[in-house]
Amino acid sequence: NPASMVQALFHLGEMVTATQSVSDDLLELLGGEMGYEIEIVSPDEEDRELLDTFDLAYGENDGGEDDLQIRPPVVTVMGHVDHGKTRLLDAIRHTNIMDKEAGGITQHIGAYQVATELGGNERLITFIDTPGHEAFTAMRARGSKSTDIVVLVVAADDGVMPQTVEAINHAKAADVPIVVAINKIDKEGANADKIRQQLTEYGLVAEEYGGDTMFVEVSARQRINIDGLLAAVLLTADAALDLRANPNMPAQGVAIEAHLDRGRGSVATVLVQRGTLRVGDSIVAGNAYGRVRAMLGDHGENVYEALPSRPVQVLGLTSVPGAGDSFLAVEEDRVARQIAERRQARARKAQVANRRRITLEDLGTALAENKIENLTLIIKGDNSGTVEALEDSLMKIVVGDEVNLRVVHRGVGGITQDDINLAATTSAIVVGFNVKPVRGVQELADREGVDIRYYTVIYQAIDEIEAALKGLLKPEF
Ligand code: GDP
C-alpha cells in the first residue's frame, strides 16, 4: 500500500545519511519514482578532518587481522506497542545465568549484557534496554551504527501492525538482520503460523518455510523459550555476521543515553565498539569531554576495563553527550578538550544555519532565493480525519509552478522524537494539529533546528503556510 511504500522509501532516504551500505542508484531510482529528491550525504567530512588534525580517526584503525577478536552481538528489540517489548527485555534479563551469579541486583543504565550457553560455550549478548525504534533512529540520525541484530516482537494474538512494519523498514534500511520473536504464545487465540504467514509479505521468510529468518515462539510473561530466543540471536550472528573487534586500541564507541545527576554530575552510558575503555582514560563524546572517573556495569558494579560490546556507565564527563554521539579515548586531556570545543563551535554555527533553512518565517525568502525548492511537511493530528483534511487542503495551495509541497509523513498522535529525527533528515517542518509534543521533543527540535508549528484551527494552518510560501509571513519576535 502507498502509505507503507512512502514510509519504506522514507527510511531508505534516512539511511543514506547514516551508512553507505546500500546502492545509491537504487535509492535514486526509488526516489525518482516516488517524486522524492534523495540527497546522499557523505559521512561528516568536517569531523573527519578535525580528528585528522589530531592524528585520530573514528572506526578506521582496527588494527591487523590478528588483533580482531570475537565480540558479543548488540541487539535492539523493536515491534508494535503492547506486543511485549518491555516485558521481553525484562524476561531476558532475569533468565540469564550472569544475573543469578551476580545476585540479581540490576541497574537500568540503558543497556545490559546477558550470558547464555550455546554449544557448551558461554556467550555474551548485549541488549539495548530502550524498546522501540526511537533510540535506533536517533542513533542513525547521528550516523552511528549501534545495533547488529533486531529482535522483532510480534504478539501472536494480534499480528503484524503498523509499527511492526516500521520496525522492519528501519532494520532493512540499516541492513541489520532480524530475528522474529512471536510473543504471547501463552494466550488464547495465539496463532504463530499466522504471524509467519503475514511476515513473508515483508520478506521475512521463516526457516521452516525455506527462508533464512529465524522465528522463535516465546512468552515474555511466562518466560517460555527465552533461551531459544537467545540461541537464535547467536546463531543469526554467527551465520550472517562476522562480529569482531580489536580490543587492543584506545576505546571507541557510541553514547546510548546520558543525563545530569545532581550528585554525580554527567552520567553517560556508552557502548564500547572497539578498543578497551579504562578508568582514567581521557575521552571525547560528541561535544562533551573529560576523564573517566569511574565506570559502572548494569549490576551497579565497578568496572575498570570495558571490552568491545560492553555497555558501561561513565562518570567524569564535563557535560552531557547526546544519545547516538560517538566517543573516543585520546592520549591527553588537552586533545579531548580541543576536539570538544571545536565541535561545540561548529554545532552553534550549524544550529543557526539549520534554523535559517527550515523555519516557516524564512521560507518565502529561501524560496525566492532558490535556496530550497520545496516545502516538506510532517503532519500530526489528533485523529486521522483531521490529518487527512489538513493534508488535502494544504496540497491544494498553489504558489506559482515551481514550489512543491510534499508531505513525507503523517500520523495520528503527539509529535514524537521520531518525527523530529525524520524532519531533521529531510528538512521538514512539523505541523501539529490539536496535539502536543511528547516529553523531550521540544529540546530535540531545538537542538536539531526543526520548526514545529501548532494549530487548532485548520484554516489558520492553511493561511499561515500559504503566507509562508508566498514569502508574506512576518517573523515572530
Ligand atoms: P511494549 O509496549 O511492546 O513494551 O509491551 P509491554 O511489554 O508493555 O507489554 C504489553 C502488555 O502485554 C502488558 O500488559 C504485558 O503484561 C503483556 N504481555 C507481554 N508479554 C506477554 C506474554 O508473553 N503473554 C501475555 N499473556 N501477556 C504478555
Side-chain angles (χ1 to χ4, degrees):
N1 87 32
S4 64
M5 282 278 283
V6 167
Q7 219 157 33
L9 179 71
F10 213 64
H11 298 315
L12 285 171
E14 185 188 60
M15 167 195 53
V16 267
T17 66
T19 75
Q20 299 295 306
S21 55
V22 165
S23 124
D24 296 342
D25 292 351
L26 171 72
L27 283 168
E28 279 174 4
L29 198 77
L30 255 172
E33 208 148 300
M34 311 285 296
Y36 282 77
E37 276 163 38
I38 302 239
E39 197 180 85
I40 293 156
V41 183
S42 66
D44 198 331
E45 282 299 329
E46 244 181 311
D47 204 58
R48 198 171 276 195
E49 278 165 28
L50 169 61
L51 293 180
D52 207 35
T53 59
F54 292 97
D55 217 5
L56 293 165
Y58 185 83
E60 283 169 5
N61 41 349
D62 265 349
E65 191 66 10
D66 293 348
D67 292 317
L68 294 177
Q69 292 180 19
I70 292 201
R71 64 169 181 83
V74 180
V75 179
T76 297
V77 174
M78 300 206 260
H80 196 71
V81 65
D82 277 345
H83 280 197
K85 299 179 290 295
T86 310
R87 198 72 185 236
L88 185 63
L89 277 163
D90 230 46
I92 290 167
R93 205 175 169 139
H94 290 102
T95 37
N96 129 66
I97 43 184
M98 219 156 62
D99 215 44
K100 284 165 200 152
E101 284 159 12
I105 305 153
T106 58
Q107 303 285 319
H108 283 273
I109 65 169
Y112 62 78
Q113 271 189 328
V114 296
T116 188
E117 249 159 44
L118 186 74
N121 296 321
E122 190 174 297
R123 302 265 305 263
L124 295 172
I125 306 176
T126 305
F127 281 88
I128 306 287
D129 202 6
T130 330
H133 49 239
E134 220 156 72
F136 195 79
T137 55
M139 293 205 203
R140 283 169 41 67
R142 284 193 161 65
S144 337
K145 178 166 179 173
S146 56
T147 297
D148 300 309
I149 292 179
V150 163
V151 165
L152 178 69
V153 181
V154 188
D157 63 335
D158 198 15
V160 173
M161 298 298 278
Q163 284 170 278
T164 317
V165 178
E166 228 170 276
I168 295 170
N169 290 336
H170 280 298
K172 280 190 184 161
D175 210 8
V176 172
I178 293 174
V179 171
V180 180
I182 301 178
N183 191 30
K184 307 198 187 184
I185 51 152
D186 59 294
K187 278 185 96 167
E188 217 171 296
N191 186 346
D193 280 331
K194 192 185 93 186
I195 310 292
R196 285 192 187 79
Q197 195 63 54
Q198 284 184 334
L199 283 173
T200 57
E201 280 174 44
Y202 300 91
L204 297 177
V205 183
E207 289 184 320
E208 307 88 288
Y209 290 15
D212 55 7
T213 302
M214 296 197 71
F215 281 63
V216 187
E217 296 178 23
V218 299
S219 163
R221 179 182 277 176
Q222 300 193 0
R223 298 192 180 164
I224 297 168
N225 203 22
I226 303 299
D227 290 345
L229 178 61
L230 297 180
V233 166
L234 289 174
L235 289 170
T236 299
D238 292 348
L241 307 162
D242 181 26
L243 300 178
R244 295 190 296 161
N246 174 13
N248 308 311
M249 59 179 274
Q252 301 191 344
V254 59
I256 296 169
E257 62 172 51
H259 65 275
L260 202 60
D261 182 279
R262 217 181 281 166
R264 297 184 297 168
S266 166
V267 179
T269 297
V270 303
L271 176 70
V272 178
Q273 294 180 308
R274 62 192 75 80
T276 301
L277 184 63
R278 295 185 174 85
V279 170
D281 282 352
S282 297
I283 63 171
V284 53
N287 300 341
Y289 71 96
R291 189 182 283 205
V292 180
R293 193 170 70 229
M295 295 194 290
L296 299 171
D298 55 81
H299 292 93
E301 78 280 20
N302 274 298
V303 176
Y304 301 96
E305 284 193 339
L307 290 165
S309 294
R310 176 116 192 232
V312 280
Q313 237 182 14
V314 167
L315 309 186
L317 288 172
T318 50
S319 60
V320 179
D325 279 344
S326 58
F327 83 88
L328 69 171
V330 299
E331 288 284 315
E332 293 174 69
D333 294 354
R334 187 179 53 85
V335 171
R337 197 191 67 232
Q338 285 177 3
I339 294 173
E341 280 169 356
R342 289 197 206 175
R343 282 179 176 166
Q344 283 162 21
R346 216 176 48 206
R348 278 193 294 274
K349 255 183 18 203
Q351 192 161 350
V352 173
N354 262 347
R355 282 179 173 289
R356 211 170 283 143
R357 201 176 68 232
I358 305 175
T359 69
L360 208 52
E361 279 88 12
D362 293 330
L363 186 69
T365 328
L367 288 168
E369 291 171 3
N370 276 330
K371 280 190 194 148
I372 59 166
E373 289 169 349
N374 296 304
L375 171 57
T376 307
L377 295 174
I378 290 175
I379 303 178
K380 294 303 283 285
D382 57 341
N383 67 61
S384 52
T386 49
V387 171
E388 269 168 39
L390 186 57
E391 181 172 352
D392 283 351
S393 312
L394 289 173
M395 296 317 268
K396 288 189 188 123
I397 298 178
V398 180
V399 190
D401 301 330
E402 293 100 72
V403 184
N404 281 315
L405 222 129
R406 318 180 288 175
V407 176
V408 289
H409 181 61
R410 84 279 297 149
V412 175
I415 295 161
T416 65
Q417 302 201 4
D418 243 13
D419 296 329
I420 304 301
N421 287 326
L422 219 52
T425 36
T426 55
S427 302
I429 290 171
V430 182
V431 174
F433 190 78
N434 275 334
V435 293
K436 295 215 153 53
V438 304
R439 203 164 61 91
V441 161
Q442 191 57 55
E443 289 85 339
L444 180 64
D446 291 344
R447 221 163 40 235
E448 301 288 343
V450 170
D451 193 11
I452 308 180
R453 295 276 160 166
Y454 297 99
Y455 303 99
T456 49
V457 184
I458 286 201
Y459 288 109
Q460 198 187 350
I462 296 160
D463 285 352
E464 198 167 303
I465 289 165
E466 187 164 8
L469 284 165
K470 290 177 176 161
L472 299 172
L473 197 67
K474 296 281 166 294
E476 277 171 31
F477 290 106

mmCIF file of all heavy atoms in Angstrom, residues 185 398 437:
data_model
loop_
_atom_site.group_PDB
_atom_site.id
_atom_site.type_symbol
_atom_site.label_atom_id
_atom_site.label_comp_id
_atom_site.label_asym_id
_atom_site.label_seq_id
_atom_site.Cartn_x
_atom_site.Cartn_y
_atom_site.Cartn_z
ATOM 1 N N ILE A 185 2.615 -16.487 23.253
ATOM 2 C CA ILE A 185 2.078 -17.778 22.793
ATOM 3 C C ILE A 185 1.274 -18.461 23.883
ATOM 4 O O ILE A 185 0.599 -19.449 23.632
ATOM 5 C CB ILE A 185 3.199 -18.738 22.303
ATOM 6 C CG1 ILE A 185 4.298 -18.855 23.364
ATOM 7 C CG2 ILE A 185 3.765 -18.298 20.980
ATOM 8 C CD1 ILE A 185 5.013 -20.178 23.294
ATOM 9 N N VAL A 398 -1.745 26.695 -4.113
ATOM 10 C CA VAL A 398 -0.978 26.845 -5.345
ATOM 11 C C VAL A 398 -0.132 28.116 -5.250
ATOM 12 O O VAL A 398 -0.655 29.195 -5.013
ATOM 13 C CB VAL A 398 -1.915 26.946 -6.570
ATOM 14 C CG1 VAL A 398 -1.102 27.099 -7.837
ATOM 15 C CG2 VAL A 398 -2.813 25.724 -6.637
ATOM 16 N N PRO A 437 3.660 17.953 21.895
ATOM 17 C CA PRO A 437 4.849 17.108 21.771
ATOM 18 C C PRO A 437 4.964 16.204 22.983
ATOM 19 O O PRO A 437 4.491 16.555 24.059
ATOM 20 C CB PRO A 437 5.996 18.110 21.755
ATOM 21 C CG PRO A 437 5.491 19.296 22.490
ATOM 22 C CD PRO A 437 4.005 19.326 22.276
#
